Amino acid sequence: MLDNVEHRAEHAEVWVAEASGAVVAAVTLTFAGRPYSEIAIENELEFRMLAVDPSVQGGGVGRAVVRQVIEHAQSLPAIRAISITSATFMERAHVLYESLGFQRVPSRDWYVPGEDVLLWVFRLELQPSGVPRGTRPRLGS
């Protein structure tokens, strides 16, 4: 599925991050009921297939991409939360998501059909104003 970017772009939003003219990251955004949605429920933005070039991992690219996803979700009036699925062994991704306010939702975890691979669900609830829960606006300078 990662290789078939053209198909994903026809059925979902595909974003890329560039550095020095080269693509260094990509992510797919979708909504409940759309072809690439796996876990999104009503009023949720789901992002999937976040991939960062190994040569730039650890440099903040993944964090920047997820922050852009959050900012985008905050601009969508009908969106109340963001969800992501992550394989249990993707510990660095889990740390990233949790550091940005995402919380595990074990009741929504699921197995890859036909495989013994458990996928965890993380969710970030947005306040009505679009600010992620658990964060406070910074006052002053």
Side-chain angles (χ1 to χ4, degrees):
M1 278 206 284
L2 282 174
D3 291 341
N4 197 346
V5 177
E6 185 175 326
H7 187 268
R8 277 189 287 142
E10 289 175 13
H11 300 282
E13 290 184 43
V14 177
W15 291 3
V16 297
E18 295 182 341
S20 302
V23 173
V24 294
V27 67
T28 300
L29 284 71
T30 189
F31 303 92
R34 300 246 177 112
Y36 275 86
S37 177
E38 292 177 323
I39 59 165
I41 57 176
E42 187 175 341
N43 300 111
E44 235 177 37
L45 169 77
E46 177 181 352
F47 74 94
R48 301 191 48 215
M49 300 180 223
L50 173 61
V52 177
D53 186 310
S55 69
V56 298
Q57 287 179 359
V61 173
R63 178 175 298 279
V65 170
V66 176
R67 282 187 171 152
Q68 285 296 313
V69 170
I70 293 169
E71 186 176 308
H72 178 63
Q74 292 168 336
S75 75
L76 301 172
I79 297 303
R80 303 287 177 253
I82 306 167
S83 61
I84 177 71
T85 294
S86 184
T88 57
F89 61 84
M90 297 178 136
E91 295 167 355
R92 287 177 66 192
H94 304 162
V95 170
L96 169 65
Y97 303 144
E98 289 172 343
S99 76
L100 291 171
F102 286 79
Q103 297 181 342
R104 286 258 299 110
V105 187
S107 63
R108 291 176 63 186
D109 292 351
W110 57 286
Y111 283 89
V112 175
E115 298 183 34
D116 191 26
V117 177
L118 177 63
L119 299 174
W120 285 355
V121 174
F122 291 82
R123 186 171 195 263
L124 176 67
E125 287 191 49
L126 303 174
Q127 293 178 346
S129 66
V131 177
R133 293 187 196 270
T135 62
R136 296 179 183 202
R138 190 174 290 170
L139 301 176
S141 52

